[in-house]
Amino acid sequence: MNTFTVRAYGAESTTADLKEMNIERREATPNDVEIEILYCGVCHSDLHTARNDWGGTIYPAVPGHEIVGRITKVGSDVSKFKVGDLAGVGCIVDSCGTCESCKHDLEQYCLNGFTGTYNGKDKHLGGHTFGGYSQKVVVDSNHVLKVPENLDLAAVAPLLCAGITTWSPLKHWNVGPNSKVAVVGLGGLGHMAIKLAKGLGAEVTLFSRTPGKAEDAKQLGADHVVISTEQSEMDSVKGKFDVIIDTVPYVHDVNPYITTLNISGTLVIVGYLGGLEPILNTVPMIMGRKSVAGSVIGGIAETQEMLDFCGEHNIVSEIETIKMNEINEAYERMLKSDVKYRFVIDMQSL
Ligand SMILES: [Zn+2]
Ligand SMILES: [Zn+2]
């Protein structure tokens, strides 16, 4: 298969800083589009993959799965896109297309495993996939999104992961104008959950451990802020919420939030993989038909639906734009939650 070389930014090992490197991209096949990358959001998964925090990282690792760019080439069988169109690529660049999940537009739950935008198994070139910290990417057109022309492109990028990760559970649990939604955590995911739930017409509450975030949360659209460390505030929202989107990325106690769910309410974990501590008390769940659920990103059709919705409602992420060579510093700041609320790399700086 013919390839071409592009500049990229990646890590050579677990402990190495990211640096400039060259990678190979395949020439577009009949079903592919080639995209010049304009902006790439910086997700926590990028950092964890670059540093092998979850194990399984294959080096060199080129992260980035919040990609916005312009199409520079289309394969002969592609009718959905033309050269010059804006395009987005999220966390999924391929899936089997034939399993029950894929047949129902749930590629994120592909039973044969979807191909991640980075650190996935490259079906075309062998080896592993490289993400959006690069000049260009070539992707199967069925896994490419149309990007609304009316939005700030840099601020669209985080919608491709942070946006869809919170949109999918909001839609699955039927959030709408009569819903009462709470969000736990105000970071990249949490701030999108507030904006999207508000856009869907819900009454939105942020749970925060510190009062300092109240003003910011309200500016993002939250109707209320509840300080989760104040028992009286927690008591005041007992039995209130239909859906809680829990974005906390580390082990934490969800029991106090369960009591704030309405009958049949659901707390959805989107930011943390692993065991919960202290253990989950089933009494309030059983006595109120409440659920604790999980959700990961979203399917391609659902991601398109979210982008279209954001175009119509003028919803984008709150971002700080950086140059490519500022990425290592950005990772350090992310570890201290020192970003409001997402870094986005201007890829012209590579
Ligand atoms: Zn991500
Ligand atoms: Zn599948």
Side-chain angles (χ1 to χ4, degrees):
M1 174 168 265
N2 290 331
T3 62
F4 62 101
T5 305
V6 295
R7 271 204 310 283
Y9 226 76
E12 296 276 14
S13 76
T14 310
T15 51
D17 273 353
L18 274 68
K19 65 177 179 59
E20 195 176 312
M21 56 178 61
N22 287 331
I23 56 169
E24 294 297 302
R25 296 293 193 192
R26 67 179 181 270
E27 288 289 353
T29 71
N31 288 313
D32 287 335
V33 296
E34 178 191 289
I35 301 165
E36 181 193 7
I37 301 174
L38 299 174
Y39 296 101
C40 187
V42 182
C43 174
H44 278 267
S45 306
D46 298 359
L47 184 166
H48 293 306
T49 300
R51 298 181 177 185
N52 199 26
D53 291 335
W54 298 329
T57 298
I58 309 160
Y59 292 94
V62 175
H65 59 202
E66 295 181 339
I67 299 168
V68 171
R70 226 172 248 290
I71 292 181
T72 46
K73 219 177 256 182
V74 294
S76 53
D77 293 346
V78 176
S79 53
K80 214 172 102 181
F81 296 99
K82 58 181 192 316
V83 170
D85 284 352
L86 290 175
V89 177
C91 309
I92 303 174
V93 288
D94 212 344
S95 53
C96 82
T98 56
C99 73
E100 283 306 305
S101 293
C102 286
K103 280 197 275 187
H104 292 92
D105 292 328
L106 296 167
E107 295 87 357
Q108 75 272 38
Y109 304 119
C110 174
L111 299 174
N112 296 302
F114 69 78
T115 303
T117 302
Y118 55 81
N119 206 48
K121 196 171 183 304
D122 190 323
K123 289 183 192 170
H124 299 265
L125 298 180
H128 62 288
T129 53
F130 297 115
Y133 297 4
S134 60
Q135 293 176 301
K136 284 188 172 182
V137 65
V138 178
V139 182
D140 172 78
S141 60
N142 292 319
H143 295 79
V144 176
L145 291 311
K146 287 177 184 285
V147 172
E149 295 273 351
N150 60 310
L151 299 174
D152 173 12
L153 286 186
V156 165
L159 299 177
L160 276 312
C161 177
I164 186 60
T165 297
T166 49
W167 173 263
S168 185
L170 291 170
K171 291 298 283 186
H172 181 75
W173 278 278
N174 299 312
V175 165
N178 297 316
S179 307
K180 291 186 171 64
V181 173
V183 175
V184 190
L186 186 62
L189 293 173
H191 95 287
M192 283 315 308
I194 291 174
K195 287 190 176 208
L196 293 169
K198 199 63 201 164
L200 287 164
E203 182 185 327
V204 182
T205 299
L206 175 76
F207 282 119
S208 178
R209 294 169 61 83
T210 50
K213 292 186 172 170
E215 207 44 52
D216 286 352
K218 289 192 174 165
Q219 269 176 21
L220 293 166
D223 299 289
H224 316 283
V225 175
V226 169
I227 306 304
S228 56
T229 48
E230 292 289 336
Q231 193 53 48
S232 59
E233 294 205 22
M234 292 301 279
D235 289 345
S236 74
V237 289
K238 201 171 168 212
K240 174 168 174 163
F241 302 112
D242 304 303
V243 177
I244 299 175
I245 305 292
D246 180 338
T247 72
V248 177
Y250 45 80
V251 62
H252 59 291
D253 184 8
V254 300
N255 291 299
Y257 303 118
I258 307 293
T259 62
T260 72
L261 284 171
N262 194 358
I263 305 302
S264 307
T266 303
L267 177 141
V268 191
I269 295 174
V270 297
Y272 170 72
L273 292 163
L276 290 171
E277 288 170 26
I279 59 170
L280 192 57
N281 180 4
T282 62
V283 174
M285 294 169 66
I286 286 169
M287 300 311 287
R289 198 167 60 188
K290 299 173 185 181
S291 310
V292 172
S295 179
V296 74
I297 47 177
I300 300 300
E302 194 173 43
T303 306
Q304 190 63 63
E305 172 195 68
M306 180 262 325
L307 287 169
D308 295 346
F309 179 89
C310 288
E312 283 159 31
H313 292 79
N314 264 303
I315 295 173
V316 289
S317 188
E318 300 297 309
I319 61 161
E320 180 178 335
T321 308
I322 60 167
K323 295 195 179 74
M324 189 69 256
N325 63 12
E326 294 171 325
I327 188 68
N328 295 301
E329 188 190 329
Y331 281 180
E332 292 307 313
R333 285 183 52 196
M334 282 162 69
L335 290 171
K336 292 182 271 183
S337 299
D338 177 23
V339 54
K340 286 182 177 174
Y341 287 90
R342 203 68 147 178
F343 288 115
V344 172
I345 308 159
D346 177 354
M347 294 310 304
Q348 308 291 332
S349 66
L350 173 61

